[in-house]
Amino acid sequence: MAAAQTSNQGLADHAAKDARRVVYAEFARDARALADGVHQYVMAPGPDLDADTAAYTEVLDRARWSYDVVSIEGPKSVRDAAKLFIDQAIACRGKGSWHSSAVAAFNKLFALRRTDDGAQFEAVLAVEQELERIRAAALAVPKEWRGRAQAWASDAAADDARALRARWQEERDRSPDEAPRYEVVARLVALIADDGSPTALNTAVQAGYLTSQQASKIITYTMTWAEDDPLQRVLHELVPMHDALDAFVREANRVLHPEEYGEDCGES
């Protein structure tokens, strides 16, 4: 009887492991599809935002359904790893969306360079030179001050040195240890202020080479993330999602093959 019970328990454990193997494999498949969907959405957004969102929602729903089955099969360690991946996929898409639109705007700018139209080429070259000046000026300003400079450039303070200095003085008094010199801030404000003289970006928009939204994305990205390449920034935002998927696969392997990890082969 003892031998029979041991044999029956072994068969039951094997059947349970086989069931888990199927469930884990199905989640891994659907999770991979979700990861690919998020990657595609943030790296190469299509012209139809609604279609992109519908495709993302479909793969997210499948992954969530597979997660529900993983939750039933367990154990907790695998369930937690699967939940972490779902959370990271959602978070990565949210974080990457803004950066992806910046990538699309920069891609449009780079594509405009490949032209036989002399006027278009000169306009794009002027934009790139202008962006380099803005980037250099932004790098001299702490990140937390760049948004302030952009806000000041959009109103009357940009045309009034006294008003601009007063705003800088007020902000400096609030955070004296982090304040850049006035001249540094004033240079950045002057480069991006719309003072009636069309900038290269405005000229490109007026010529129809870029949309106003694309120009806004480009200049905001150049200022705010002056240290980063937009493409690399998007790739960085995707790292936690891919790490979470790898962690799920490792944990599933640990549960299915505990002997390889030097663990007890009993129930986890």
Side-chain angles (χ1 to χ4, degrees):
M1 287 181 63
Q5 288 175 345
T6 300
S7 176
N8 289 339
Q9 184 61 51
L11 291 173
D13 290 345
H14 185 74
K17 182 177 290 189
D18 284 347
R20 281 180 170 177
R21 181 178 289 107
V22 171
V23 168
Y24 296 167
E26 288 178 347
F27 178 81
R29 177 200 62 202
D30 294 338
R32 184 68 63 187
L34 175 57
D36 290 345
V38 172
H39 193 282
Q40 173 68 20
Y41 178 84
V42 300
M43 291 297 293
D48 188 344
L49 183 60
D50 290 338
D52 286 344
T53 300
Y56 162 76
T57 301
E58 182 179 348
V59 292
L60 176 60
D61 286 345
R62 284 204 304 268
R64 278 174 165 165
W65 184 88
S66 293
Y67 164 73
D68 289 341
V69 182
V70 169
S71 296
I72 295 171
E73 286 291 333
K76 183 179 184 301
S77 59
V78 177
R79 178 168 63 248
D80 290 347
K83 177 66 164 54
L84 177 61
F85 166 75
I86 296 290
D87 291 345
Q88 288 293 350
I90 294 172
C92 285
R93 184 181 184 271
K95 292 177 182 178
S97 291
W98 196 95
H99 295 290
S100 68
S101 60
V103 169
F106 276 104
N107 285 344
K108 176 64 180 297
L109 180 63
F110 299 151
L112 290 171
R113 251 181 167 271
R114 299 190 293 270
T115 178
D116 295 329
D117 185 332
Q120 177 176 311
F121 182 82
E122 289 296 327
V124 174
L125 185 61
V127 167
E128 292 177 346
Q129 292 172 342
E130 182 175 71
L131 291 177
E132 283 305 311
R133 291 193 294 272
I134 293 172
R135 180 177 287 106
L139 286 172
V141 176
K143 275 189 176 183
E144 58 271 19
W145 278 76
R146 295 173 194 171
R148 299 167 190 166
Q150 191 168 14
W152 295 339
S154 64
D155 60 27
D159 298 325
D160 186 338
R162 182 175 299 177
L164 180 59
R165 183 178 284 274
R167 291 192 175 188
W168 167 81
Q169 178 77 47
E170 182 181 352
E171 292 294 333
R172 186 197 65 177
D173 291 344
R174 291 177 181 173
S175 54
D177 295 335
E178 304 172 358
R181 292 183 299 107
Y182 168 75
E183 292 76 14
V184 174
V185 175
R187 171 170 170 72
L188 180 59
V189 170
L191 284 171
I192 61 177
D194 185 4
D195 59 0
S197 302
T199 62
L201 268 172
N202 287 339
T203 300
V205 171
Q206 292 167 6
Y209 301 140
L210 295 169
T211 67
S212 58
Q213 185 178 27
Q214 288 170 334
S216 176
K217 288 285 186 182
I218 288 172
I219 194 169
T220 299
Y221 201 100
T222 299
M223 281 190 56
T224 309
W225 287 280
E227 297 86 353
D228 298 336
D229 173 85
L231 179 61
Q232 293 303 315
R233 183 77 185 189
V234 173
L235 289 172
H236 176 75
E237 296 292 351
L238 293 172
V239 168
M241 176 185 67
H242 292 299
D243 286 348
L245 180 52
D246 291 342
F248 166 80
V249 173
R250 288 195 302 271
E251 186 58 26
N253 274 321
R254 188 191 68 80
V255 169
L256 292 174
H257 309 287
E259 67 281 359
E260 295 181 6
Y261 293 81
E263 298 178 1
D264 187 352
C265 295
E267 179 71 14
S268 298

